Amino acid sequence: MSCAPASKPTSRPPASCSPPAISPKAPAPWCRRMSENRPMSADYKATVFLPRTDFPMKAGLPDLEPRLLRRWADIDLYGRMRAAARGREKFVLHDGPPYANGHLHIGHALNKILKDVIGRTQSMLGKDADYVPGWDCHGLPIEWKIEEKYRAEGLDKDQVDVVAFREECRQFAAKWIDVQREEFKRLGVVGDWNHPYTTMTFKAEATIAAELGKFLMDGSLYRGAKPVMWSVVEKTALAEAEVEYHDHTSVTIWVGFPVVKASRPELDGAKVVIWTTTPWTMPGNRAIAFGAEFDYAVVEVETVEDGALAWPGQRYVVLKDQIEQVAKDAKCSFLLVATLTGADLAGTVCHHPLKFHPDADGGYDFDVPLLAGDFVTTDTGTGFVHIAPGHGEDDWQLGVANGIAVPDTVQPDGTYYPHVAIFAGQAVLAQGKNGKYYSPVAKPVIEAMKACGNLLAHGKVEHSYPHSWRSKAPLIFRNTPQWFISMEKTGLRDKALAAIDATRFVPDQGRNRIRSMVEGRPDWCVSRQRAWGVPITVFVEKKTGQPLREQEVVDRIVAAFMEEGADAWYTSPPSRFLGNGRDPADYEQVVDILDVWFDSGCTHAFVLEGDTWPNLRAPANLYLEGSDQHRGWFQSSLLESCGTRGRAPYDAVLTHGFVLDEDGRKMSKSLGNVVSPQDVVSTMGGDILRLWVTGSDYSDDLRIGQEILKTQVDIYRRLRNTLRYLLGALDGFTDAERLPAGDMPELERWVLHRLTQLDAGLRRACADFEFHGWFTELHTFCAVDLSAFYLDIRKDALYCDTADSPRRRAARTVMDILLDTLCKWLAPFTCFTAEEAWLARHPSEDGSVHLETFPDIPAEWRNEALAAKWDAVRAVRRVVTGALELERAAKRIGSSLQANPLLYVDGNLYPAIADVDMDEVCITSGMLVVEGQVPDGCFILADVPGVGVLPRPAEGEKCQRCWKVLHEVGKFSHQGVCGRCSDAVDRLAGSAE
RNA sequence: GGGGGUGUAGCUCAACGGUAGAGCGGGCCGCCUUAUAAACGGCAUGAGCGCCGGAUCAGCGCACGAUCCCGGUUCGAAUCCGGGCACCCCUACCA
């Protein structure tokens, strides 16, 4: 067994006999805190290098951030960032445009902060990553706002000039762009805010028209007829995104369709029973669908109850499993006559149940065939679905597949066309006195069916039903002429699928998601019967009904739009576009506008291409939006670009989840769980919100609430105080003090090694666009490695060593590297605080950390062997601190400097600590390290075998300067201090002269 | 209804077929004002069920435990498979 004192001998002899040089700034007497047994001791506080900085502990972000934003504007930081990036490799993150309507919500904040973080990390990796924000301006929500205003003034929109109306919409969008711009900037998002793109600039409108022209010219744009979700209140077709589902009470009817041609003898004289919740669609009925796999039954009415509409002896065909339910609904009992499968029904033909109505006048004199439909289900109804091809997607497809013409029955205002027998002019939907919508024609239909003897029953049902997201009125499916882009004519679907395969998706599940949507989607309906948008710039030749496909015409339209905006479509005579050779009377000018998804799908064309923003280029490296945009912008952009350019407009697509409350529920006003970014920013600060984004796994849904934000504030405080301490420690640091890494103690080299690990992690995180794991690591580094370990240990050298001590110089060199590195690493994330700290270190008129790039961490700092050794040192340290804790609990010691323990380390771990100052590492006044077995009675930790600590109090006097308790104290020229401190005081006095 | 996703300590996240971990928070202690306190350090907690207590701590018992629940594959499952439940996104709107 060998004994080795771990403390370095203090060999410096007493220096001089001169009295201690005490700084004139010696504290006032009330600060005196000397122990009573050393009444004559001096106060050495002024000779200690305490941290000094103006960087405040309390951030005051709500005040600080606007100040920094003003500074950045004053020094044109954005312009200088662009200048600094000139010539570098480009990284283009193309902004998905938010809708310019209303204040930002937390989802906007997440999206834009994430974009900003990625843009900034790419910049700091040394790329040219310009960010041009954009806005989506056209569309129904704004149009509706203006209409609302008109209604409030008692005006009808139709009385207002369309160009004037569009101008109001434009002003409205412009107003909200200004509001949102300021809100985004407040979040610290950096970009070309003075030159954002919008979908309503003349150039954008012209480009959109030009892009549409490409689909026109290649034949994929066509006019078709299709039932679409239609609002009779707004008199327009609605996009999928504009539809909401709410409960709605509908009248239901059971109707028997008399069989006129039976595929099987059992069906002769029977009626096929359908059930529907939309009686108003009965005039549009043209077929009946059944499930080929299901079992059906022919039943005969045996008895009837009061109020039943059937009569004994009548035969009906229904789904076998629903016999009892239908009997109950029809208030009668059935006898089973025959059973047959769905397939047996093929070929059966019925006539319309209203064919023999006295007022029918031949209007319902047509065959109603039974057709197999795979959408038929057995859980509700009768197993038969009435098919009105003009009133449903399934209906339409089945009709088209079987060559059935799609009838037009309902006019745009929701009334039947004059040609509709019995019901002409009646409304299918109206608002009752109680404000609820109902179908006024339900009753007449019931009466008509009754009159024909074909009504079996009627009732009411409450069910989820589509409603207009704005007017909240129920919607109908209505057959309308619409413009479509074919998914097949030019192979658009295949091109899009190939492009999906060629795109990187982060996370990868996004690929399947968009793929399955593109695989199954119908042709793209791009028309809207509205006013605020880019018109469908097409002329239809009256003679042929075909759109005019003429490039010169397209070019003239585009040129006009470029000069005057899309209003030119409304203000110019058609001859201006048609040219001299054509008679405008021969053409119909289309007045529909484009779906706003087509607008935003074209942003790549007018933002990334061309020279308006020379820092951008197509295709974009990245599109980044919420996961709902698989259906929206990711797809509209993909289809537009594949149709016109044969490839996706992006190389990679990143999606993030949705923001939920702390319990994982959707935010809603009614639940009162809405967190607004404006509130967070004004009470806690933008950096807190940015920290929340950075620390969250945004590939999935993420949560926010008071507790989560409080956690972010705590994390922020740790980062801030680490920066603050480093700033204080570096007070007066100059390059002359710097020491090369090779000359540093192991502890410093270990810190540098940790930086190489974190650096590698950061670069990985940037490449993967995934920061939360790395950020946790960085925070742990600050809290555990720096604050609790490295900085704590180095306080002694920092405060008490002489200014030229290599140990102190090494520490300050590393702290400078740490501060520099932390500021730069934090810059993309907590952009305000990083700047604040940077400026505290490098005061300057126009400097900024955001003009920097990530530091180059020298590869030679990496030292795995050293790291392994220091892992062992820290394990031993834990045993010591654990032992001291018991002493503290027993009131034998307070601070660890009051201890001078005996440390036993066996042969396994001893080599790791043999040449380490364990008293320095453990912050004790001394330590005796013994290599060998741990004797009984020592403090041990189960997970650090072979290490034992025998705590002992430090003996001697407490050095008044460094607080170590040492025997040598008092034996030097200065009173009450150790040799090192006495020397340091001398040096200080010398340099002060 | 269909498609996709998620579910691990109070919070944020690890581990992703082989000992369930970190940081933060909360708790206790120290810091003799040397990160001057909205600071700093240390320690111990924290992922079943039940019993006994007015309650808390401690204690005891069951289990032989712990990754939303149930089941399966496996020597071994948080991890793979199946079935539920909950929540989120997309979609449909069911006649």
Side-chain angles (χ1 to χ4, degrees), chain A residues 409-458:
Chain A
T409 53
V410 178
Q411 306 186 82
D413 66 355
T415 59
Y416 289 108
Y417 280 105
H419 63 74
V420 174
I422 308 173
F423 308 106
Q426 298 199 43
V428 304
L429 190 73
Q431 202 166 12
K433 285 183 186 132
N434 60 1
K436 285 192 175 170
Y437 287 92
Y438 72 107
S439 181
V441 80
K443 209 170 227 170
V445 167
I446 287 172
E447 291 309 320
M449 289 292 176
K450 257 189 202 168
C452 295
N454 288 326
L455 190 72
L456 191 57
H458 63 90

Short mmCIF file of all heavy atoms in Angstrom, two decimals, chain A residues 409-458:
data_model
loop_
_atom_site.label_atom_id
_atom_site.label_comp_id
_atom_site.label_asym_id
_atom_site.label_seq_id
_atom_site.Cartn_x
_atom_site.Cartn_y
_atom_site.Cartn_z
N THR A 409 -80.73 19.28 -61.66
CA THR A 409 -82.04 19.48 -61.03
C THR A 409 -82.11 20.73 -60.18
O THR A 409 -83.16 21.34 -60.08
CB THR A 409 -82.39 18.27 -60.13
OG1 THR A 409 -81.33 18.05 -59.21
CG2 THR A 409 -82.63 17.03 -60.96
N VAL A 410 -80.98 21.09 -59.55
CA VAL A 410 -81.02 22.20 -58.60
C VAL A 410 -80.21 23.38 -59.13
O VAL A 410 -79.10 23.21 -59.61
CB VAL A 410 -80.48 21.77 -57.22
CG1 VAL A 410 -80.48 22.94 -56.25
CG2 VAL A 410 -81.32 20.63 -56.66
N GLN A 411 -80.81 24.56 -59.04
CA GLN A 411 -80.15 25.78 -59.51
C GLN A 411 -79.18 26.29 -58.45
O GLN A 411 -79.23 25.86 -57.30
CB GLN A 411 -81.20 26.84 -59.82
CG GLN A 411 -82.27 26.34 -60.79
CD GLN A 411 -83.23 27.44 -61.20
OE1 GLN A 411 -82.93 28.23 -62.09
NE2 GLN A 411 -84.38 27.51 -60.54
N PRO A 412 -78.32 27.24 -58.84
CA PRO A 412 -77.33 27.74 -57.87
C PRO A 412 -77.94 28.24 -56.57
O PRO A 412 -77.33 28.12 -55.51
CB PRO A 412 -76.65 28.88 -58.63
CG PRO A 412 -76.77 28.49 -60.06
CD PRO A 412 -78.09 27.78 -60.19
N ASP A 413 -79.15 28.79 -56.63
CA ASP A 413 -79.73 29.33 -55.41
C ASP A 413 -80.46 28.27 -54.58
O ASP A 413 -81.10 28.58 -53.58
CB ASP A 413 -80.69 30.48 -55.75
CG ASP A 413 -81.90 29.99 -56.51
OD1 ASP A 413 -81.97 28.79 -56.87
OD2 ASP A 413 -82.79 30.81 -56.77
N GLY A 414 -80.38 27.02 -55.03
CA GLY A 414 -80.97 25.96 -54.23
C GLY A 414 -82.42 25.67 -54.57
O GLY A 414 -83.07 24.91 -53.86
N THR A 415 -82.92 26.25 -55.63
CA THR A 415 -84.28 25.90 -56.07
C THR A 415 -84.19 24.99 -57.30
O THR A 415 -83.19 25.00 -58.02
CB THR A 415 -85.09 27.16 -56.45
OG1 THR A 415 -84.40 27.85 -57.50
CG2 THR A 415 -85.24 28.07 -55.24
N TYR A 416 -85.28 24.21 -57.49
CA TYR A 416 -85.28 23.30 -58.64
C TYR A 416 -85.41 24.09 -59.93
O TYR A 416 -86.08 25.14 -59.97
CB TYR A 416 -86.45 22.32 -58.53
CG TYR A 416 -86.27 21.29 -57.44
CD1 TYR A 416 -87.01 21.36 -56.28
CD2 TYR A 416 -85.36 20.24 -57.60
CE1 TYR A 416 -86.87 20.40 -55.28
CE2 TYR A 416 -85.21 19.29 -56.60
CZ TYR A 416 -85.96 19.37 -55.44
OH TYR A 416 -85.82 18.45 -54.46
N TYR A 417 -84.80 23.55 -60.96
CA TYR A 417 -84.95 24.14 -62.29
C TYR A 417 -86.42 24.05 -62.71
O TYR A 417 -87.15 23.16 -62.25
CB TYR A 417 -84.10 23.37 -63.31
CG TYR A 417 -82.63 23.74 -63.27
CD1 TYR A 417 -81.70 22.88 -62.70
CD2 TYR A 417 -82.18 24.93 -63.84
CE1 TYR A 417 -80.35 23.19 -62.68
CE2 TYR A 417 -80.82 25.25 -63.82
CZ TYR A 417 -79.91 24.39 -63.25
OH TYR A 417 -78.59 24.71 -63.23
N PRO A 418 -86.83 24.93 -63.60
CA PRO A 418 -88.23 24.90 -64.07
C PRO A 418 -88.61 23.55 -64.71
O PRO A 418 -89.78 23.18 -64.69
CB PRO A 418 -88.27 26.01 -65.11
CG PRO A 418 -87.14 26.92 -64.74
CD PRO A 418 -86.07 26.05 -64.16
N HIS A 419 -87.62 22.84 -65.24
CA HIS A 419 -87.96 21.60 -65.94
C HIS A 419 -88.19 20.43 -64.97
O HIS A 419 -88.52 19.33 -65.40
CB HIS A 419 -86.86 21.24 -66.95
CG HIS A 419 -85.53 20.96 -66.32
ND1 HIS A 419 -85.26 19.80 -65.63
CD2 HIS A 419 -84.40 21.71 -66.25
CE1 HIS A 419 -84.01 19.83 -65.19
NE2 HIS A 419 -83.46 20.99 -65.54
N VAL A 420 -87.96 20.64 -63.68
CA VAL A 420 -88.12 19.53 -62.74
C VAL A 420 -89.60 19.36 -62.41
O VAL A 420 -90.23 20.25 -61.82
CB VAL A 420 -87.31 19.78 -61.45
CG1 VAL A 420 -87.60 18.69 -60.42
CG2 VAL A 420 -85.84 19.85 -61.78
N ALA A 421 -90.18 18.24 -62.81
CA ALA A 421 -91.61 17.99 -62.66
C ALA A 421 -92.01 17.99 -61.19
O ALA A 421 -91.24 17.57 -60.32
CB ALA A 421 -91.97 16.65 -63.31
N ILE A 422 -93.18 18.44 -60.93
CA ILE A 422 -93.83 18.50 -59.62
C ILE A 422 -93.24 19.59 -58.72
O ILE A 422 -93.97 20.33 -58.07
CB ILE A 422 -93.78 17.16 -58.85
CG1 ILE A 422 -94.29 16.01 -59.72
CG2 ILE A 422 -94.61 17.25 -57.55
CD1 ILE A 422 -94.12 14.63 -59.10
N PHE A 423 -91.89 19.68 -58.68
CA PHE A 423 -91.26 20.51 -57.65
C PHE A 423 -90.61 21.78 -58.20
O PHE A 423 -89.91 22.48 -57.45
CB PHE A 423 -90.22 19.70 -56.89
CG PHE A 423 -90.76 18.39 -56.36
CD1 PHE A 423 -90.41 17.19 -56.97
CD2 PHE A 423 -91.65 18.38 -55.30
CE1 PHE A 423 -90.90 15.99 -56.49
CE2 PHE A 423 -92.15 17.17 -54.83
CZ PHE A 423 -91.78 15.97 -55.43
N ALA A 424 -90.79 22.10 -59.44
CA ALA A 424 -90.08 23.23 -60.05
C ALA A 424 -90.18 24.48 -59.18
O ALA A 424 -91.25 24.82 -58.67
CB ALA A 424 -90.66 23.51 -61.44
N GLY A 425 -89.04 25.12 -58.98
CA GLY A 425 -89.02 26.38 -58.26
C GLY A 425 -88.97 26.25 -56.75
O GLY A 425 -88.69 27.22 -56.05
N GLN A 426 -89.22 25.07 -56.23
CA GLN A 426 -89.19 24.93 -54.77
C GLN A 426 -87.74 24.89 -54.27
O GLN A 426 -86.84 24.44 -54.96
CB GLN A 426 -89.93 23.65 -54.35
CG GLN A 426 -91.40 23.69 -54.74
CD GLN A 426 -92.22 22.68 -53.94
OE1 GLN A 426 -92.04 22.56 -52.73
NE2 GLN A 426 -93.09 21.96 -54.62
N ALA A 427 -87.58 25.33 -53.03
CA ALA A 427 -86.23 25.38 -52.45
C ALA A 427 -85.91 24.07 -51.73
O ALA A 427 -86.75 23.53 -51.01
CB ALA A 427 -86.12 26.54 -51.47
N VAL A 428 -84.69 23.59 -51.93
CA VAL A 428 -84.29 22.35 -51.26
C VAL A 428 -83.77 22.65 -49.85
O VAL A 428 -83.65 21.76 -49.03
CB VAL A 428 -83.22 21.58 -52.05
CG1 VAL A 428 -83.73 21.27 -53.45
CG2 VAL A 428 -81.91 22.33 -52.11
N LEU A 429 -83.43 23.92 -49.62
CA LEU A 429 -82.86 24.27 -48.31
C LEU A 429 -83.32 25.67 -47.96
O LEU A 429 -83.33 26.56 -48.81
CB LEU A 429 -81.34 24.23 -48.38
CG LEU A 429 -80.62 24.34 -47.03
CD1 LEU A 429 -80.76 23.04 -46.25
CD2 LEU A 429 -79.15 24.66 -47.24
N ALA A 430 -83.70 25.87 -46.71
CA ALA A 430 -84.10 27.21 -46.26
C ALA A 430 -83.82 27.32 -44.78
O ALA A 430 -83.64 26.32 -44.08
CB ALA A 430 -85.57 27.45 -46.55
N GLN A 431 -83.78 28.58 -44.34
CA GLN A 431 -83.52 28.82 -42.93
C GLN A 431 -84.86 29.06 -42.24
O GLN A 431 -85.64 29.92 -42.65
CB GLN A 431 -82.62 30.05 -42.79
CG GLN A 431 -81.88 30.09 -41.47
CD GLN A 431 -80.77 31.11 -41.48
OE1 GLN A 431 -80.69 31.94 -42.39
NE2 GLN A 431 -79.92 31.06 -40.48
N GLY A 432 -85.12 28.30 -41.19
CA GLY A 432 -86.39 28.44 -40.48
C GLY A 432 -86.37 29.65 -39.57
O GLY A 432 -85.36 30.35 -39.44
N LYS A 433 -87.51 29.88 -38.93
CA LYS A 433 -87.60 31.05 -38.05
C LYS A 433 -86.66 30.96 -36.87
O LYS A 433 -86.19 31.96 -36.33
CB LYS A 433 -89.05 31.20 -37.54
CG LYS A 433 -89.99 31.75 -38.62
CD LYS A 433 -91.38 31.96 -38.08
CE LYS A 433 -92.34 32.38 -39.18
NZ LYS A 433 -93.58 31.61 -39.16
N ASN A 434 -86.37 29.71 -36.46
CA ASN A 434 -85.45 29.52 -35.33
C ASN A 434 -83.99 29.60 -35.76
O ASN A 434 -83.09 29.34 -34.97
CB ASN A 434 -85.73 28.18 -34.65
CG ASN A 434 -85.55 27.02 -35.62
OD1 ASN A 434 -85.20 27.22 -36.79
ND2 ASN A 434 -85.77 25.81 -35.14
N GLY A 435 -83.76 29.94 -37.03
CA GLY A 435 -82.39 30.06 -37.49
C GLY A 435 -81.82 28.77 -38.02
O GLY A 435 -80.79 28.77 -38.68
N LYS A 436 -82.50 27.67 -37.75
CA LYS A 436 -81.96 26.38 -38.22
C LYS A 436 -82.36 26.14 -39.68
O LYS A 436 -83.44 26.55 -40.12
CB LYS A 436 -82.50 25.25 -37.35
CG LYS A 436 -81.83 25.20 -35.99
CD LYS A 436 -82.18 23.92 -35.26
CE LYS A 436 -81.40 23.86 -33.96
NZ LYS A 436 -81.85 22.77 -33.09
N TYR A 437 -81.45 25.49 -40.37
CA TYR A 437 -81.72 25.19 -41.76
C TYR A 437 -82.53 23.90 -41.86
O TYR A 437 -82.35 22.99 -41.05
CB TYR A 437 -80.41 25.05 -42.53
CG TYR A 437 -79.72 26.37 -42.78
CD1 TYR A 437 -78.77 26.85 -41.89
CD2 TYR A 437 -80.05 27.12 -43.90
CE1 TYR A 437 -78.15 28.07 -42.11
CE2 TYR A 437 -79.42 28.35 -44.14
CZ TYR A 437 -78.47 28.82 -43.24
OH TYR A 437 -77.86 30.01 -43.47
N TYR A 438 -83.42 23.82 -42.83
CA TYR A 438 -84.19 22.60 -43.06
C TYR A 438 -84.49 22.53 -44.54
O TYR A 438 -84.20 23.47 -45.30
CB TYR A 438 -85.48 22.63 -42.23
CG TYR A 438 -86.51 23.61 -42.73
CD1 TYR A 438 -87.66 23.16 -43.37
CD2 TYR A 438 -86.31 24.98 -42.58
CE1 TYR A 438 -88.61 24.07 -43.85
CE2 TYR A 438 -87.24 25.88 -43.05
CZ TYR A 438 -88.39 25.42 -43.69
OH TYR A 438 -89.30 26.33 -44.18
N SER A 439 -85.07 21.43 -44.93
CA SER A 439 -85.39 21.24 -46.34
C SER A 439 -86.88 21.40 -46.55
O SER A 439 -87.66 20.51 -46.24
CB SER A 439 -84.93 19.85 -46.78
OG SER A 439 -85.21 19.70 -48.16
N PRO A 440 -87.33 22.56 -47.07
CA PRO A 440 -88.77 22.80 -47.20
C PRO A 440 -89.45 21.84 -48.17
O PRO A 440 -90.66 21.65 -48.09
CB PRO A 440 -88.85 24.22 -47.73
CG PRO A 440 -87.48 24.74 -47.82
CD PRO A 440 -86.51 23.66 -47.55
N VAL A 441 -88.65 21.23 -49.05
CA VAL A 441 -89.27 20.38 -50.07
C VAL A 441 -89.49 18.96 -49.54
O VAL A 441 -90.13 18.15 -50.20
CB VAL A 441 -88.41 20.38 -51.37
CG1 VAL A 441 -87.23 19.43 -51.23
CG2 VAL A 441 -89.25 20.02 -52.58
N ALA A 442 -89.00 18.68 -48.34
CA ALA A 442 -89.14 17.32 -47.81
C ALA A 442 -90.61 16.92 -47.73
O ALA A 442 -91.01 15.82 -48.12
CB ALA A 442 -88.47 17.21 -46.44
N LYS A 443 -91.41 17.84 -47.23
CA LYS A 443 -92.84 17.53 -47.06
C LYS A 443 -93.52 17.27 -48.40
O LYS A 443 -94.20 16.24 -48.57
CB LYS A 443 -93.52 18.66 -46.30
CG LYS A 443 -94.71 18.20 -45.49
CD LYS A 443 -95.19 19.31 -44.57
CE LYS A 443 -95.42 18.80 -43.17
NZ LYS A 443 -95.65 19.90 -42.22
N PRO A 444 -93.36 18.16 -49.38
CA PRO A 444 -93.95 17.88 -50.70
C PRO A 444 -93.48 16.55 -51.29
O PRO A 444 -94.27 15.85 -51.94
CB PRO A 444 -93.48 19.05 -51.55
CG PRO A 444 -93.25 20.16 -50.57
CD PRO A 444 -92.80 19.51 -49.30
N VAL A 445 -92.24 16.21 -51.08
CA VAL A 445 -91.74 14.94 -51.62
C VAL A 445 -92.48 13.79 -50.93
O VAL A 445 -92.92 12.83 -51.57
CB VAL A 445 -90.21 14.80 -51.43
CG1 VAL A 445 -89.76 13.37 -51.70
CG2 VAL A 445 -89.48 15.77 -52.34
N ILE A 446 -92.60 13.90 -49.61
CA ILE A 446 -93.30 12.85 -48.87
C ILE A 446 -94.75 12.72 -49.38
O ILE A 446 -95.22 11.62 -49.64
CB ILE A 446 -93.28 13.19 -47.35
CG1 ILE A 446 -91.88 12.95 -46.80
CG2 ILE A 446 -94.32 12.36 -46.60
CD1 ILE A 446 -91.70 13.42 -45.36
N GLU A 447 -95.39 13.87 -49.55
CA GLU A 447 -96.78 13.83 -50.01
C GLU A 447 -96.88 13.22 -51.40
O GLU A 447 -97.78 12.42 -51.68
CB GLU A 447 -97.36 15.25 -50.01
CG GLU A 447 -97.56 15.83 -48.61
CD GLU A 447 -98.32 14.89 -47.69
OE1 GLU A 447 -99.30 14.24 -48.13
OE2 GLU A 447 -97.91 14.76 -46.50
N ALA A 448 -95.93 13.58 -52.26
CA ALA A 448 -95.96 13.05 -53.62
C ALA A 448 -95.73 11.54 -53.61
O ALA A 448 -96.38 10.78 -54.35
CB ALA A 448 -94.90 13.75 -54.46
N MET A 449 -94.83 11.10 -52.78
CA MET A 449 -94.54 9.67 -52.69
C MET A 449 -95.75 8.92 -52.15
O MET A 449 -96.11 7.84 -52.61
CB MET A 449 -93.34 9.43 -51.75
CG MET A 449 -92.02 9.89 -52.33
SD MET A 449 -91.51 8.90 -53.74
CE MET A 449 -90.02 9.77 -54.22
N LYS A 450 -96.36 9.55 -51.14
CA LYS A 450 -97.58 8.95 -50.57
C LYS A 450 -98.66 8.82 -51.65
O LYS A 450 -99.30 7.78 -51.78
CB LYS A 450 -98.10 9.85 -49.45
CG LYS A 450 -97.81 9.36 -48.05
CD LYS A 450 -98.57 10.23 -47.06
CE LYS A 450 -97.93 10.18 -45.69
NZ LYS A 450 -98.46 11.23 -44.80
N ALA A 451 -98.81 9.90 -52.42
CA ALA A 451 -99.85 9.91 -53.45
C ALA A 451 -99.62 8.80 -54.45
O ALA A 451 -100.57 8.25 -55.02
CB ALA A 451 -99.85 11.27 -54.15
N CYS A 452 -98.38 8.44 -54.65
CA CYS A 452 -98.05 7.37 -55.61
C CYS A 452 -98.07 6.00 -54.94
O CYS A 452 -97.82 4.99 -55.59
CB CYS A 452 -96.68 7.60 -56.24
SG CYS A 452 -96.60 9.09 -57.24
N GLY A 453 -98.28 6.01 -53.62
CA GLY A 453 -98.31 4.74 -52.90
C GLY A 453 -96.95 4.11 -52.73
O GLY A 453 -96.84 2.91 -52.45
N ASN A 454 -95.90 4.89 -52.86
CA ASN A 454 -94.56 4.30 -52.79
C ASN A 454 -93.78 4.70 -51.55
O ASN A 454 -92.61 4.36 -51.41
CB ASN A 454 -93.76 4.69 -54.04
CG ASN A 454 -94.27 3.96 -55.26
OD1 ASN A 454 -94.71 2.81 -55.15
ND2 ASN A 454 -94.27 4.62 -56.39
N LEU A 455 -94.41 5.43 -50.64
CA LEU A 455 -93.71 5.78 -49.40
C LEU A 455 -93.99 4.70 -48.37
O LEU A 455 -95.12 4.34 -48.12
CB LEU A 455 -94.20 7.14 -48.88
CG LEU A 455 -93.34 7.69 -47.74
CD1 LEU A 455 -92.00 8.15 -48.27
CD2 LEU A 455 -94.04 8.85 -47.03
N LEU A 456 -92.93 4.20 -47.80
CA LEU A 456 -93.07 3.12 -46.82
C LEU A 456 -93.06 3.70 -45.41
O LEU A 456 -93.74 3.21 -44.52
CB LEU A 456 -91.90 2.14 -47.00
CG LEU A 456 -91.97 0.80 -46.28
CD1 LEU A 456 -93.23 0.04 -46.67
CD2 LEU A 456 -90.73 -0.01 -46.63
N ALA A 457 -92.26 4.74 -45.23
CA ALA A 457 -92.16 5.36 -43.90
C ALA A 457 -91.40 6.66 -44.05
O ALA A 457 -90.77 6.92 -45.08
CB ALA A 457 -91.44 4.45 -42.92
N HIS A 458 -91.47 7.50 -43.02
CA HIS A 458 -90.61 8.68 -42.97
C HIS A 458 -90.29 8.97 -41.52
O HIS A 458 -90.97 8.51 -40.61
CB HIS A 458 -91.26 9.89 -43.66
CG HIS A 458 -92.52 10.36 -43.03
ND1 HIS A 458 -92.55 11.30 -42.04
CD2 HIS A 458 -93.81 9.98 -43.23
CE1 HIS A 458 -93.81 11.50 -41.67
NE2 HIS A 458 -94.60 10.70 -42.37
#
